[in-house]
């Protein structure tokens, strides 16, 4: 079966149309999910526990004791879900693969039953005319690899390359775009720093070692994918780049922003896109890790292998300052509550909520201009790099009406603003080639369990009934028009 490939030839908005509301020709419209958040079937088909299974089953780690054991039951309902995607007009579906479903121990041969699920999913997508976009890793390390040390151990990067080879061999002929990692910052800094994500460790040195080995695993996987995928297939990595702003124009706050930019962004963009770790990052964290020993000969060359597209995830800006004497600790960073900071080496930086902004159910400020600024900053720092917005969306307190509908005008307003920001960035020279809404459907929202709903499709978790929200229909209309509506219609 032939894959449906997106047209990724960059076309500025001025060449695509004379109308300011249309998106560029070939712009990819999609939605995204992640394996542990939607699949369920946690112990079926040979799948073994990942770190998120272990973490979610540990009392006190996830709100209300929720787990991903069933989630949105996508494993059993994928055909209906793909039919719904087709009905909504999605052109691409970004999903992740459960490593422990296809390689339960993180070593050795694949389990064919695990591969078969993804083969069937991809075939169903292609039959529906929807481009599959696969992410190899969205935070769910096989527990057996964590028991051997996890991402702080160099061997895990080599295991990841083996896993990438398995997936490329099984599905490389049918998937035209492959992403190595989704948000490796969260895996390293929330998983090993603050401990609010699996595996729940709070070890600053391990955090930095994990970040380097995630980078190395990305580079090793890119080499494998390049060698095994057919010509024309594309490779990428997705980063949740923090749009960092100093609270004031003081030199102290500017330095706070620099520190967070280093440990939040450039720890990945430096080696991946420039072939080097930033000198200021190394200086800020040299008391925690010996970078000269951590980074071995050949590592940076491997990590900086070229990618075709950079995925950018954005939800809200990050506002920071240097604390004033007597101010106390302030960490409204949007990354969960912990006595341990994820900002390894810059724990003293204070974080602030944006004032005068509407907020989502996550208490995140709604600021579309932050997405515009982020896309333009990446374009300035890395000219010519193709970009895709691979996650953008919002959680709100959604309810089913007596008529059986879900009206979510706040989400429509959120999407309108952020898609407008993408459009502005394209008009100003950013090579943005697609947009993936987070998320296709309500799901297991990590440490928040099922208490937060990001989906365009409402999921009744007791019955597993799917109800497209008003925002799903609005997004469907945007896709059909290939443009934002000319006038607001939040009904």
């Amino acid at each position: 079966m032939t894959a449906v490939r997106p047209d990724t030839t960059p076309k500025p908005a001025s060449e695509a149309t004379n109308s300011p509301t249309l998106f560029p020709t070939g712009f990819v419209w999609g939605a995204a999910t992640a394996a542990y958040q939607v699949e369920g079937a946690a112990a079926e088909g040979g799948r073994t526990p990942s770190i998120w299974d272990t973490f979610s089953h540990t009392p006190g780690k996830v709100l209300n004791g929720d787990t991903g054991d069933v989630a949105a039951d996508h494993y059993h309902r994928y055909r209906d879900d793909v039919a719904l995607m087709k009905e909504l007009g999605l052109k691409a579906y970004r999903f992740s693969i459960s490593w422990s479903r296809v390689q339960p121990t993180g070593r050795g041969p694949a389990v064919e039953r695990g591969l078969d699920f993804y083969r069937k999913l991809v075939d169903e997508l292609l039959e529906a005319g929807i481009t599959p976009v696969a992410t190899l890793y969205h935070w769910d390390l096989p527990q057996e690899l964590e028991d051997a040390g996890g991402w702080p151990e160099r061997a895990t990067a080599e295991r990841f390359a083996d896993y990438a080879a398995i997936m490329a061999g099984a599905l490389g002929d049918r998937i035209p775009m492959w992403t190595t990692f989704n948000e490796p910052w969260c895996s390293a800094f929330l998983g090993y720093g603050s401990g609010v994500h699996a595996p729940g460790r709070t070890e600053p040195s391990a955090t930095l070692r994990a970040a380097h080995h995630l980078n190395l695993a990305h580079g090793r996987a890119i080499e494998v994918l390049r060698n095994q995928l057919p010509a024309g297939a594309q490779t990428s990595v997705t980063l949740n780049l923090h749009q960092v702003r100093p609270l004031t124009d003081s030199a102290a706050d500017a330095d706070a922003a620099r520190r967070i930019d280093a440990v939040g962004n450039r720890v990945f963009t430096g080696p991946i896109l420039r072939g080097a770790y930033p000198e200021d990052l190394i200086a800020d964290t040299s008391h925690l890790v010996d970078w000269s020993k951590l980074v071995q000969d050949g590592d940076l060359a491997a990590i900086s292998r070229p990618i075709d597209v950079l995925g950018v995830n954005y939800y809200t800006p990050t506002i920071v300052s240097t604390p004033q004497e007597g101010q106390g600790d302030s960490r409204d960073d949007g990354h969960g509550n912990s006595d341990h900071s994820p900002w390894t080496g810059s724990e003293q930086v204070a974080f602030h909520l944006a004032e005068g902004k509407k907020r989502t159910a996550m208490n995140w400020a709604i600021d579309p201009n932050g997405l515009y600024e982020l896309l333009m900053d990446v374009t300035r720092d890395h000219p010519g790099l193709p970009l895709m917005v691979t996650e953008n969306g919002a959680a709100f307190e959604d309810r089913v009406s007596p008529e059986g509908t879900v009206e979510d005008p706040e989400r429509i307003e959120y999407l309108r603003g952020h898609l407008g920001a993408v459009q502005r960035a394209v008009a100003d020279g950013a090579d943005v080639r697609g947009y993936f809404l987070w998320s296709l459907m309500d799901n297991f929202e990590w440490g928040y369990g099922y208490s937060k709903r990001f989906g365009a499709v409402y999921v009744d978790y007791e019955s597993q009934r799917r109800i497209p929200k008003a925002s799903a229909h609005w997004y469907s209309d945007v896709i059909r028009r290939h443009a934002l509506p000319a006038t607001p219609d939040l009904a």
Side-chain angles (χ1 to χ4, degrees):
M1 188 174 294
T2 303
V4 180
R5 300 183 185 277
D7 176 7
T8 55
T9 304
K11 293 181 175 63
S14 60
E15 294 182 14
T17 177
N18 291 324
S19 169
T21 61
L22 284 177
F23 285 82
T25 301
F27 191 86
V28 178
W29 296 102
T33 65
Y36 190 70
Q37 293 183 272
V38 299
E39 283 182 5
E44 294 186 40
R47 185 184 181 277
T48 58
S50 74
I51 55 176
W52 266 99
D53 294 272
T54 302
F55 188 80
S56 67
H57 280 267
T58 302
K61 295 298 186 182
V62 175
L63 190 64
N64 300 321
D66 293 338
T67 75
D69 288 359
V70 177
D73 199 31
H74 182 62
Y75 183 86
H76 297 111
R77 301 170 186 268
Y78 71 91
R79 289 189 178 90
D80 291 340
D81 289 339
V82 172
L84 183 54
M85 294 179 217
K86 182 177 181 180
E87 179 182 332
L88 294 174
L90 293 183
K91 305 305 179 185
Y93 175 51
R94 178 176 175 258
F95 62 96
S96 79
I97 295 159
S98 168
W99 189 348
S100 64
R101 192 178 294 286
V102 301
Q103 198 186 26
T105 67
R107 302 178 178 84
V111 171
E112 289 300 319
R113 289 177 297 170
L115 288 174
D116 284 344
F117 168 68
Y118 297 105
R119 290 180 178 120
K120 291 184 291 185
L121 172 61
V122 168
D123 286 347
E124 196 78 14
L125 289 166
L126 294 173
E127 186 68 26
I130 299 169
T131 299
V133 178
T135 298
L136 289 171
Y137 188 84
H138 196 131
W139 307 353
D140 46 357
L141 185 72
Q143 183 61 44
E144 193 162 318
L145 291 184
E146 173 59 27
D147 292 342
W151 286 113
E153 296 300 320
R154 188 179 182 88
T156 308
E158 306 307 327
R159 300 291 75 74
F160 185 76
D162 296 340
Y163 159 60
I166 288 172
M167 296 313 305
L171 287 168
D173 62 330
R174 282 170 279 182
I175 298 179
M177 179 173 285
W178 292 78
T179 301
T180 55
F181 287 94
N182 180 81
E183 299 185 351
W185 185 87
C186 293
S187 294
F189 291 85
L190 301 184
Y192 295 93
S194 65
V196 299
H197 279 191
R201 290 162 60 178
T202 54
E203 306 163 32
S205 177
T207 300
L208 297 170
R209 298 199 311 273
H212 176 62
H213 296 143
L214 285 157
N215 281 331
L216 182 61
H218 159 77
R220 295 274 192 254
I222 291 294
E223 180 181 24
V224 167
L225 295 173
R226 294 276 188 199
N227 289 338
Q228 293 194 216
L229 295 179
Q234 294 193 314
T235 60
S236 67
V237 65
T238 282
L239 304 177
N240 57 316
L241 298 175
H242 299 81
Q243 183 58 23
V244 185
R245 299 171 180 166
L247 182 65
T248 73
D249 59 3
S250 71
D253 287 359
D255 188 63
R258 175 202 63 76
R259 297 183 73 103
I260 297 307
D261 180 51
V263 78
N265 296 332
R266 289 182 285 123
V267 65
F268 295 105
T269 59
I272 291 174
L273 300 177
R274 297 189 185 278
Y277 283 100
E279 292 183 2
D280 61 329
L281 170 72
I282 293 173
D284 291 344
T285 58
S286 60
H287 62 293
L288 297 170
V289 69
D290 186 343
W291 288 93
S292 66
K293 293 181 179 178
L294 176 62
V295 182
Q296 298 183 13
D297 288 346
D299 283 4
L300 292 171
I303 294 168
S304 60
R305 287 187 174 93
I307 56 175
D308 297 296
V309 178
L310 176 67
V312 175
N313 292 355
Y314 171 84
Y315 293 93
T316 190
T318 300
I319 301 173
V320 300
S321 71
T322 296
Q324 300 299 312
E325 186 176 352
Q327 182 179 17
D329 181 38
S330 174
R331 207 175 75 237
D332 289 320
D333 61 5
H335 291 300
N337 297 319
S338 171
D339 292 335
H340 303 269
S341 172
W343 306 100
T344 305
S346 292
E347 294 86 351
Q348 75 279 13
V349 172
F351 291 77
H352 307 270
L353 294 173
E355 296 182 359
K357 301 287 185 183
K358 294 181 180 179
R359 302 192 184 282
T360 71
M362 300 290 288
N363 203 33
W364 295 345
I366 300 174
D367 190 341
N369 198 54
L371 177 56
Y372 169 81
E373 293 171 351
L374 181 58
L375 294 171
M376 296 311 299
D377 285 350
V378 175
T379 297
R380 179 200 65 222
D381 293 342
H382 307 281
L385 178 64
L387 307 175
M388 280 199 179
V389 177
T390 38
E391 284 185 26
N392 177 240
F396 292 104
E397 301 294 336
D398 301 317
R399 299 285 187 271
V400 180
S401 73
E403 295 74 30
T405 62
V406 180
E407 303 300 324
D408 57 341
E410 303 94 344
R411 187 172 286 106
I412 293 174
E413 184 180 1
Y414 180 100
L415 295 176
R416 177 188 294 279
H418 287 78
L419 284 170
V422 172
Q423 207 164 51
R424 286 171 52 211
V426 170
D428 289 345
D431 185 6
V432 186
R433 301 187 178 189
Y435 178 93
F436 288 80
L437 170 66
W438 185 270
S439 172
L440 172 66
M441 66 184 84
D442 294 335
N443 53 47
F444 175 83
E445 185 48 42
W446 308 114
Y448 297 94
Y450 297 102
S451 69
K452 305 298 182 186
R453 293 181 178 271
F454 275 86
V457 175
Y458 185 95
V459 177
D460 181 324
Y461 295 114
E462 290 190 8
S463 68
Q464 291 295 340
R465 180 187 176 195
R466 272 75 160 139
I467 305 173
K469 303 173 188 177
S471 60
H473 298 297
W474 182 88
Y475 187 51
S476 177
D477 188 56
V478 170
I479 295 171
R480 181 182 59 81
R481 296 169 182 257
H482 204 65
L484 290 175
T487 57
D489 180 8
L490 304 185

